[in-house]
């Protein structure tokens, strides 16, 4: 196609799940309920960590920031998806689409760095407990959190820079419920090989690199725990890691399946439901995973709902 005959796309149409109206209503109701549970649950985790001095430790500092990322990620994708379900056009502007994609990957990448940081925190707590407070001090925790955001930004910089200026001049229908990278690149009327390669390399380095750090940390943790003479001590050490391992398994499993492939076409329907796991299901489960398995969080919640029912709403964050 000659460049002079190209008409630049000004908006995209989000195709969604391509269901009949009754199925759309069912999905809308289900996703809305899950989104509300995710918002309430993760916000409650943040407030509890801010409010209760028993949760003022590095582990819960990172848990609260993970909860914040869950709220931010779902809010980047789900409201637009719900709004477009019954919209006649299901349209999103060109700038809005690229902005949504940028923040989704920025926040998602930050989450993977943070999960690796949380595994490092558990490694120090279990393998070097006497120096834990000295090593994981406030300055270190803040630096690790900042490093997670900076690392995420740098990891998505190349794919974003290569994708943004590409010419979108043909079909403008995105075969997804949000502006994911693979369906967007399929609409480019130019060679997308550099952008796809950058996307693949970035995803592989981010996901596999952070997973490697997590795996090494837990290998050391397991080795240390198995050497403990007390069975009760072993159970207690494993219980502090169980929640984190569950979240890591859910996130990495679906994300590696979706993004660590050189060519991402051909299984878009499966990708959609795998993305639902990342953007809706896991953020909804996160508060239950960390609260139902954690006595401190359950105790804090009982106190907040029982002894001090009025203080949660006015609690001020303090670490």
């Amino acid at each position: 196609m000659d460049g002079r005959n190209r008409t630049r796309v000004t908006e995209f149409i989000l195709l969604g799940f391509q269901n009949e109206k009754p199925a759309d209503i069912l999905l809308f109701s289900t996703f809305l309920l899950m989104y509300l549970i995710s918002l309430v649950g993760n916000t409650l985790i943040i407030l509890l960590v801010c409010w209760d001095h028993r949760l003022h430790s590095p582990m819960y500092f990172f848990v609260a920031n993970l909860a914040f990322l869950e709220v931010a990620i779902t809010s980047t994708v789900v409201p637009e998806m719900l709004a477009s379900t019954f919209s006649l056009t299901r349209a999103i502007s060109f700038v809005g689409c690229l902005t949504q994609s940028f923040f989704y990957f920025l926040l998602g990448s930050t989450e993977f760095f943070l999960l690796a940081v949380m595994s490092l925190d558990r490694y120090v707590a279990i393998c070097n407990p006497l120096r834990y407070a000295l090593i994981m001090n406030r300055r270190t925790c803040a630096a690790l959190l900042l490093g997670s955001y900076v690392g995420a930004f740098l990891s998505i910089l190349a794919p974003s820079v290569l994708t943004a200026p590409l010419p979108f001049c043909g079909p403008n229908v995105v075969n997804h419920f949000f502006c994911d990278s693979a369906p967007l690149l399929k609409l480019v009327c130019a060679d997308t090989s550099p952008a796809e390669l950058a996307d693949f390399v970035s995803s592989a380095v981010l996901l596999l690199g952070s997973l490697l750090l997590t795996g090494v940390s837990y290998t050391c943790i397991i080795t240390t725990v198995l050497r403990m003479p007390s069975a009760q001590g072993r159970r207690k050490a494993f219980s502090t890691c169980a929640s984190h391992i569950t979240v890591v398994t859910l996130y990495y499993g679906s994300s590696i399946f979706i993004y660590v492939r050189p060519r991402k076409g051909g299984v878009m329907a499966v990708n959609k439901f795998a993305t639902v796991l990342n953007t809706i299901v896991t953020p909804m489960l996160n508060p239950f995973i960390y609260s139902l398995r954690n006595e401190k969080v359950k105790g804090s919640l009982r106190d907040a709902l029982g002894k001090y029912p009025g203080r949660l709403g006015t609690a001020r964050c303090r670490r």
Side-chain angles (χ1 to χ4, degrees):
M1 182 186 296
D2 187 85
R4 292 171 296 181
N5 296 326
R6 291 178 176 179
T7 302
R8 187 169 179 82
V9 169
T10 58
E11 67 177 16
F12 292 102
I13 308 300
L14 297 174
L15 203 56
F17 289 93
Q18 298 174 271
N19 294 311
E20 298 297 328
K21 213 61 175 179
D24 274 342
I25 294 173
L26 178 61
L27 282 178
F28 177 88
S29 304
T30 303
F31 291 157
L32 177 60
L33 178 61
M34 295 169 73
Y35 177 56
L36 293 176
I37 293 174
S38 175
L39 283 183
V40 173
N42 285 293
T43 301
L44 183 60
I45 291 289
I46 296 170
L47 292 176
L48 287 175
V49 172
C50 292
W51 171 75
D52 195 333
H53 69 279
R54 290 173 295 181
L55 304 182
H56 293 174
S57 67
M59 174 182 170
Y60 296 106
F61 170 72
F62 293 128
V63 167
N65 279 280
L66 179 65
F68 167 76
L69 287 172
E70 302 281 33
V71 171
I73 290 172
T74 55
S75 297
T76 300
V77 173
V78 178
E80 177 66 36
M81 179 189 70
L82 295 176
S84 66
T85 301
F86 298 111
S87 171
L88 295 177
T89 61
R90 299 192 176 192
I92 182 172
S93 69
F94 180 86
V95 174
C97 190
L98 293 188
T99 301
Q100 182 191 61
S101 181
F102 174 81
F103 279 104
Y104 173 80
F105 286 107
L106 174 64
L107 295 167
S109 299
T110 304
E111 189 155 300
F112 286 111
F113 278 109
L114 186 60
L115 288 172
V117 166
M118 292 172 74
S119 70
L120 181 63
D121 171 73
R122 291 298 84 207
Y123 162 75
V124 177
I126 293 173
C127 299
N128 204 345
L130 297 180
R131 300 187 62 201
Y132 177 68
L134 180 63
I135 296 172
M136 299 301 293
N137 54 52
R138 289 189 176 189
R139 180 173 296 181
T140 301
C141 291
L144 289 171
L145 180 63
L146 178 62
S148 297
Y149 280 94
V150 173
F153 176 78
L154 294 177
S155 70
I156 69 166
L157 185 59
S160 300
V161 168
L162 290 173
T163 301
L166 290 173
F168 292 87
C169 54
N172 66 336
V173 178
V174 179
N175 186 17
H176 215 309
F177 58 83
F178 84 108
C179 295
D180 200 0
S181 58
L184 271 182
L185 288 176
K186 290 182 69 174
L187 304 180
V188 173
C189 40
D191 181 21
T192 60
S193 298
E196 286 194 350
L197 179 61
D199 198 16
F200 168 70
V201 171
S202 173
S203 299
V205 171
L206 168 67
L207 293 172
L208 300 181
S210 58
L211 182 59
L212 177 62
L213 176 59
T214 302
V216 171
S217 297
Y218 274 104
T219 300
C220 297
I221 288 171
I222 292 171
T223 302
T224 301
V225 170
L226 291 178
R227 291 175 181 170
M228 291 180 177
S230 167
Q232 183 178 359
R234 289 195 295 269
R235 284 195 299 271
K236 183 177 180 181
F238 276 127
S239 68
T240 63
C241 302
S243 300
H244 183 248
I245 292 174
T246 304
V247 173
V248 165
T249 302
L250 289 172
Y251 268 111
Y252 280 95
S254 57
S255 295
I256 290 174
F257 171 79
I258 297 170
Y259 296 111
V260 187
R261 295 199 309 272
R263 295 282 177 177
K264 302 184 178 68
V267 287
M268 189 54 64
V270 180
N271 279 5
K272 288 180 186 179
F273 287 97
T275 306
V276 166
L277 182 65
N278 267 359
T279 57
I280 305 177
V281 177
T282 305
M284 179 193 69
L285 295 177
N286 180 52
F288 299 99
I289 292 171
Y290 279 105
S291 61
L292 295 181
R293 300 184 62 90
N294 190 293
E295 291 300 324
K296 281 188 177 181
V297 176
K298 287 192 287 187
S300 177
L301 183 59
R302 282 194 297 267
D303 288 348
L305 297 178
K307 295 180 181 179
Y308 311 107
R311 290 184 58 183
L312 260 182
T314 57
R316 297 179 62 87
C317 281
R318 59 184 187 276
R319 285 170 41 204

